[in-house]
Every structure is written in structure tokens, then in C-alpha cells.
Amino acid sequence: MDELDLKILSLLQENARLSYREIARELKIAVGTVYNRIKRMEEEGIIKGFAPILDYEKLGFGLTTVIGVKAQGRKITEIERQIAENDGVIMVYDITGEFDIVVVAKFRDRADMNRFVKWLLSLDGVEKTNTSVAMQVVKEDLRIKLTED
């Protein structure tokens, strides 16, 4: 990774629909260079895919939760894998502290959330959960600044 890779990634974070030609024009480099660098970053797993940034609330997912999960140590990895497969789950983190796992999930309503939490508690090795409901989404954006420009 060099500064040019970071500049390409920054442009793609702002608009993943930019063409190679548009990126090349913006950075004053050859189209082939853009193509080769993006292809390499995809192959290396730096770029995992291209997706629009959605307003989940407008799509009917108005309930955001942060759930702490306490689990039996030898089962944590399997529990995390099972949680990650759930369609409403957007993030799963293996963490330190009182809880072993943090889950961020989106739900249509309380009943949807209730079903998920009960399913979570039924998983072998889950000892307890602590669910917090977001009252307001202040910032929800996985993009970070990659360059000083």
C-alpha cells in the first residue's frame, strides 16, 4: 500500500461507482494503473466488495441494537460464526472486557429483535446477553479518512 493506493481507496469510499477513467482523470494517472491497483487490492482482500450506503430506517429497519454476549471460552468462535450468518446482524466483534462478543444488528420492530435475542440465548455456550437499543443514530458510517488531502 502506498499513497496512490490510499487516494484510489479514498475516491472509491466517496463514490464506489466511479469508473477507472474518472479515477485516473482525478489522480492524473493512467487508466491501466487504476485498473491494476484496484485488481491487486481486490485479490489481496483490501477491497472486499462494492456496496451502496443505505438508510436502513427508510428501508424499514428502524431498530438498531448493540448486544453484549457472554459466552463459554471454548465456544466463542463457533458462536460468533453462527451470529455472523444472521441476516440482521451487521457487525460482530470479538472483544475484551465483561462481554466476549459485541453484536450490532438491525431489526424491523421489537418482535423481530425479541426473536433474535431469544435465538441468541438458545445457542449452546451463550451464558447471558445485554441488549441496548439505540435511541438515535448520530453517525453510522464505516468509511474513514485514509489520506491527508
Side-chain angles (χ1 to χ4, degrees), residues 10-12 15 17 19-20 24-25 41 43 46 52 55 69 87 93-95 97-98 117 120 126 128 138 146-148:
S10 293
L11 289 173
L12 288 173
N15 182 0
R17 297 178 70 186
S19 69
Y20 296 143
R25 186 178 317 119
M41 288 188 280
E43 289 168 357
I46 294 165
D55 184 325
V69 180
D87 292 336
Y93 295 107
D94 188 319
I95 64 166
E98 180 183 351
V117 172
L120 192 56
V126 171
K128 74 175 185 174
V138 177
L146 299 173
T147 64
E148 296 300 318

Side-chain angles (χ1 to χ4, degrees), residues 13-95:
Q13 278 192 132
E14 289 302 311
N15 182 0
R17 297 178 70 186
L18 287 175
S19 69
Y20 296 143
R21 185 174 309 286
E22 290 168 318
I23 295 169
R25 186 178 317 119
E26 174 76 21
L27 298 177
K28 297 175 179 51
I29 58 175
V31 175
T33 301
V34 173
Y35 172 82
N36 290 333
R37 286 183 176 245
I38 290 174
K39 180 108 172 113
R40 179 184 47 77
M41 288 188 280
E42 287 175 322
E43 289 168 357
E44 292 177 359
I46 294 165
I47 297 175
K48 295 182 177 186
F50 296 89
I53 299 168
L54 304 175
D55 184 325
Y56 292 105
E57 195 163 336
K58 289 181 180 176
L59 293 169
F61 295 90
L63 196 59
T64 301
T65 60
V66 178
I67 305 169
V69 180
K70 181 122 179 89
Q72 295 172 359
R74 66 188 189 293
K75 297 188 178 184
I76 290 174
T77 303
E78 174 60 21
I79 292 167
E80 290 168 339
R81 187 194 60 73
Q82 289 178 280
I83 294 169
E85 290 175 358
N86 187 285
D87 292 336
V89 171
I90 58 174
M91 295 176 201
V92 178
Y93 295 107
D94 188 319
I95 64 166

Side-chain angles (χ1 to χ4, degrees), residues 81-137:
R81 187 194 60 73
Q82 289 178 280
I83 294 169
E85 290 175 358
N86 187 285
D87 292 336
V89 171
I90 58 174
M91 295 176 201
V92 178
Y93 295 107
D94 188 319
I95 64 166
T96 62
E98 180 183 351
F99 291 93
D100 304 299
I101 305 164
V102 167
V103 179
V104 179
K106 300 279 189 181
F107 302 102
R108 292 190 180 279
D109 53 35
R110 284 191 323 265
D112 193 20
M113 177 190 69
N114 186 38
R115 278 188 296 278
F116 176 79
V117 172
K118 285 182 177 165
W119 169 80
L120 192 56
L121 285 166
S122 76
L123 295 178
D124 185 36
V126 171
E127 295 175 358
K128 74 175 185 174
T129 64
N130 183 323
T131 303
S132 297
V133 175
M135 301 300 289
Q136 179 179 357
V137 177

